[in-house]
Amino acid sequence: MTEPQITADVVAAHGIKPDEWERLLAILGRTPSFTELGIFSAMWNEHCSYKSSKIHLKKLPTTGPQVICGPGENAGVVDIGDGQAVIFKMESHNHPSYIEPHQGAATGVGGILRDVFTMGARPIAAMNALSFGLPSHPKTAHLVKGVVEGIGSYGNAFGVPTVGGEVRFHAAYNGNCLVNAFAAGLADADRIFYSAASGVGMPVVYLGAKTGRDGVGGATMASAEFDDTIEEKRPTVQVGDPFTEKRLLEACLELMASGAVISIQDMGAAGLTCSAVEMGDKGGLGIKLQLDDVPQRETGMTAYEMMLSESQERMLMVLMPEREAEARAIFRKWDLDFAIVGETIAEDRFLILHGNEVKADIPLSKLSSSAPEYDRPWVPTPAAAPLGEVPAIGAIAGLKALIGSPTYAHKGWVFEQYDSQVGADTLVTPGLPDVTPRYVKANPVEGGKQAVAEAYRNLTAVGALPLATTDNLNFGNPEKPEIMGQFVGALQGIGEAVKALDMPIVSGNVSLYNETDGKGILPTPTIGAVGILRTMDELIAGKPLSGDLAVVVGETKGHLGQSALLAEAFGIEAGDAPPVDLAAEKRNGEFVRANRGLVRACTDLSDGGLALAAFEMAEGAGLGVALEVTGTPALFGEDQARYLLAVAPGDLADLQAAAKAAGVPLAQVGTLGGAEVTLGGDTAPLSDLSRLYRTAFAAMVGV
C-alpha cells in the first residue's frame, strides 16, 4: 500500500510543531516516511513525552526509605514490610471518556490495572476520581451513566474491588470531563519486574490480544484540545475486554514466576511504538520489529496502523531465548496470542520491517529520552481578592444546599454499580483520591498542599500511617502562561506537602490540553495515597453510638473563602483558598493515630466543614447529631488540619489530657444520637435530611 505524502498539513495534523519538524529533519537527515512521522508524533506528543511538564516534575520529592521504585516505571513501588511491596499508580483517560464514555472509562481501568501487574503485582484495589459538567448540561447525564457503567463493568468482570473515589460537578468540565483511574497491587519486594531491556539478540515477544485499528492516534488525540470535530475522533477510542485482561494477568504472573522474563512493558498509549521504545531506551539498546509477525484481527493493516494501534490487553516482553517453548505453552493455555515479533539490537536504532520493506529506521534514543523538553512561559496566579461579606443563611438551609447538590450528595447510585467486595479482602470501603479544584484555581500553591494534606488526613482517619502518593495532574493548555502558572504553583505546593508529610510521589500522570473551544477545566491535580496498618488493631472503622461526643481536633477559624457552602448555596467562588499549615497537619495526624484507642469513629474535615462532616458521620450510623457551635464560619468554614471524632463520654478526659500534652487543639462541639439534626439551634428531622441526601444525586443528574 502506498503511504500518504508528507505535506505541511499532514505534519500539522500529527501535532508536530514547526520547531519540532525542524528537529525531526535534523535527526533523520531526510524527510520521514509516513510511519516514521506517526512514530515521532506518538512519542513526542504531550501524553507520552511530558515535554511541557518534565522540567517541573523533576522538582518533586520522589525518594525515601520506603520507596523501592519511584517515577519512570509503569507504577511506583513501596516497601510495606514482611517482604511485601505495594505497587500503585493513577492515570487519566479524560479525552477518550468524553468522546465515548463507556469504553473510554473502561479502558482507563484496564490500562491502570496493566500498569500494576506488568510490575509483577496482583491488583487488589481500584479507585477513581471523576469530574463532570453541570447536571443541567445536555451531555452530563450521558457521560455520568457511561463512565460509571464502563468503570463498573471492567473492574467487576476483571475481579478487582473498587474501594473508593470522588465525583464532582462544575461548569468548567462541561466540555471536557475528567476520568482518573487508580489501582494498587501487592507483590514480593524481591520479585519486581521492570521495563528496561537487556542483552543483545534477545527475542521481543508480543503477548495478549490481537492488534486492530481501534485507538490509532489515541495518544496524539489525548494531547490536543477539543473543538466541534469531536465526533470525528470517536475511532481513536479503544475497546476493552476485561475477561481477556484477566487471562493476561494470570498468564503474565505465571510466566513471571517461571523466571523467563527479562523485561516487560504494558502496551498503553501509542501501543507497540511506546512500549518498544521505552524498553529499548531504558536498556540502552535498539529494537528491530518484524510487523508481519504481529497477531492481527483485521486484514490489510499498514505499518502505521500497527505501530500506533492502542488495542487493549497487550504486553511486550523481552524473553530469555531458551525459555520460549515454556512461555509459549503458558500463553497457549490461557488462550492468548504469543508471537516473537523482533529482537534487541546493539545499535541505537528503531527498525521497523513490514512486507520486506523498511517502514521506519530511527535513532531510538531520540524518540524517548531525547524528546523535546520545554520550559514554557508562565505567570503566577494573582492573589485572590478578599472574600467580602458572606450572604446570610440558616444552618439547616446551608446543610440542605450541600447534601442536595450532586457533588456532596450520597453517591450510592455510583458505587452500588462497583463491586467493592470481589476478592473478599475489602474491610473498609472508602479511601479517597483528593483535590479541591476551586482552591487550586484561587491559589495553586495552597491548593496543591491541601490536596496532599487531605489525602494524608483520609488515611489517618482510618488509622493508617501514610506512606506515599501518586498524582494525576489535570490542567488546560500549557501554552497559555496563566495555565502553566497554575501547574507550576500546584507542583510547588504538592512538593512542599509530600516532603513535610513524608509521602513521596512514586508515580503519576500529567494530562494537559483539557480544553474545548478554548475553555479550560479547573486546575485539578488529583492526589492518591496509600498507607499501612501494621495490625488490624490499628484500624479506626467504628460507627458512632448514641450518646457519643462530637470532638474536633485542630483549630477552627471559620475560613469561608472558596468554600463548598458559598459555591453550592450562592454560586459564589471567591476569596482565597484556606491556608495549609503542614506542621499542624503532621502533628494533628500523629495525635489521632497515637490515640486511636480513645476514638470510636473519625473523619477529616474538608469541603462543607464541620456541619457536613458531622451530618455524614451521624447519618451513616442512623443517628441524629446536635452541634453546639453557632454561626456560618464555625459550622461551614473549611479550615485545614482538622478531624471530627466520635468519642465515648468516659474517654473524653483522657483524650483532652493527651491533646494538652501534645499541644493539639481539641474541642467538644456536640453530641451524637436522637432522630434530629441540630446545628446551633436550627433543627430538622434526620429522616427528611437523609431522604434528600440519598436521592439528590440520581434526581439532579438525571440518571
Side-chain angles (χ1 to χ4, degrees), residues 578-603:
V580 179
D581 181 338
L582 293 169
E585 291 283 2
K586 189 167 188 179
R587 180 194 65 215
N588 295 357
E590 289 173 346
F591 170 80
V592 170
R593 293 195 301 274
N595 292 279
R596 71 188 86 218
L598 301 172
V599 176
R600 180 114 60 200
C602 179
T603 184

Side-chain angles (χ1 to χ4, degrees), residues 681-701:
D682 198 359
T683 299
L686 172 65
S687 58
D688 291 353
L689 296 175
S690 183
R691 189 178 307 111
L692 172 63
Y693 178 54
R694 291 180 176 266
T695 60
F697 182 90
M700 287 204 68
V701 180

Side-chain angles (χ1 to χ4, degrees), residues 278-301:
E278 288 192 6
M279 290 175 78
D281 188 64
K282 289 174 183 174
L285 295 168
I287 299 283
K288 175 183 176 181
L289 295 179
Q290 174 52 261
L291 298 186
D292 298 272
D293 298 327
V294 170
Q296 300 162 52
R297 57 177 161 81
E298 298 186 49
T299 59
M301 290 191 71

Side-chain angles (χ1 to χ4, degrees), residues 98 133-143 174 701:
Y98 189 73
L134 292 176
S136 57
H137 189 274
K139 284 202 73 166
T140 297
H142 166 70
L143 291 171
N174 280 347
V701 180

Side-chain angles (χ1 to χ4, degrees), residues 305-625:
E305 290 169 333
M306 278 187 273
M307 292 307 297
L308 297 187
S309 167
E310 294 184 3
S311 294
Q312 296 293 287
E313 294 86 41
R314 302 182 300 160
M315 294 280 196
L316 200 64
M317 178 182 71
V318 176
L319 176 73
M320 290 183 177
E322 66 274 17
R323 308 295 289 275
E324 178 190 337
E326 179 184 359
R328 188 182 297 273
I330 290 172
F331 275 76
R332 184 174 293 139
K333 180 183 77 172
W334 287 101
D335 194 24
L336 293 165
D337 277 292
F338 177 102
I340 295 176
V341 296
E343 63 177 342
T344 59
I345 56 178
E347 302 89 350
D348 180 20
R349 296 172 75 188
F350 192 37
L351 183 60
I352 310 300
L353 307 175
H354 186 222
N356 297 317
E357 292 183 26
V358 174
K359 293 296 185 179
D361 190 353
I362 302 169
L364 187 144
S365 64
K366 302 298 183 185
L367 289 167
S368 182
S369 56
S370 300
E373 186 173 312
Y374 298 123
D375 185 0
R376 294 199 184 277
W378 62 276
V379 294
T381 300
L387 179 59
E389 188 173 348
V390 173
I393 189 168
I396 293 296
L399 179 62
K400 286 182 175 179
L402 292 172
I403 64 176
S405 73
T407 297
Y408 300 108
H410 190 260
K411 301 301 190 303
W413 183 89
V414 176
F415 63 70
E416 285 163 10
Q417 298 188 55
Y418 305 152
D419 190 337
S420 65
Q421 302 297 327
V422 63
D425 289 329
T426 307
L427 289 172
V428 181
T429 48
L432 307 175
D434 293 296
V435 67
T436 303
R438 291 188 310 276
Y439 294 172
V440 185
K441 184 177 182 182
N443 189 327
V445 176
E446 293 302 311
K449 285 184 196 174
Q450 192 276 340
V452 175
E454 189 173 341
Y456 174 88
R457 292 197 300 270
N458 274 322
L459 289 168
T460 293
V462 295
L465 174 67
L467 286 178
T469 52
T470 181
D471 58 15
N472 203 147
L473 307 173
N474 308 274
F475 289 81
N477 185 343
E479 296 169 50
K480 297 178 179 179
E482 65 276 14
I483 300 298
M484 203 64 212
Q486 293 174 346
F487 184 87
V488 172
L491 251 66
Q492 178 188 331
I494 290 169
E496 291 177 15
V498 298
K499 182 177 181 180
L501 301 174
D502 193 23
M503 299 166 66
I505 297 276
V506 297
S507 60
N509 172 245
V510 177
S511 175
L512 303 177
Y513 295 97
N514 288 291
E515 298 200 358
T516 297
D517 296 327
K519 295 178 181 177
I521 61 164
L522 291 178
T524 312
T526 312
I527 298 292
V530 298
I532 188 166
L533 296 162
R534 299 294 175 186
T535 72
M536 292 316 300
D537 292 338
E538 295 183 347
L539 177 66
I540 304 172
K543 291 186 177 181
L545 300 179
S546 183
D548 279 352
L549 305 177
V551 176
V552 170
V553 174
E555 186 177 8
T556 299
K557 294 182 178 178
H559 184 96
L560 286 169
Q562 299 298 331
S563 65
L565 176 72
L566 294 186
E568 299 297 344
F570 303 106
I572 295 173
E573 297 179 22
D576 201 358
V580 179
D581 181 338
L582 293 169
E585 291 283 2
K586 189 167 188 179
R587 180 194 65 215
N588 295 357
E590 289 173 346
F591 170 80
V592 170
R593 293 195 301 274
N595 292 279
R596 71 188 86 218
L598 301 172
V599 176
R600 180 114 60 200
C602 179
T603 184
D604 85 304
L605 298 192
S606 52
D607 283 24
L610 174 60
L612 183 58
F615 171 79
E616 289 177 339
M617 177 185 278
E619 197 272 349
L623 299 174
V625 61

Side-chain angles (χ1 to χ4, degrees), residues 26-88:
I27 288 170
L28 291 180
R30 56 177 170 78
T31 301
S33 68
F34 187 64
T35 300
E36 289 172 331
L37 178 64
I39 290 170
F40 272 102
S41 169
M43 292 305 303
W44 283 9
N45 67 50
E46 200 71 55
H47 191 76
C48 292
S49 73
Y50 294 87
K51 59 190 177 187
S52 296
S53 58
K54 195 182 300 182
I55 192 171
H56 301 289
L57 295 173
K58 293 173 182 176
K59 303 171 188 175
L60 289 172
T62 60
T63 59
Q66 70 271 49
V67 178
I68 295 174
C69 176
E73 276 292 339
N74 288 287
V77 185
V78 174
D79 192 341
I80 58 173
D82 297 326
Q84 291 273 290
V86 61
I87 297 178
F88 66 101

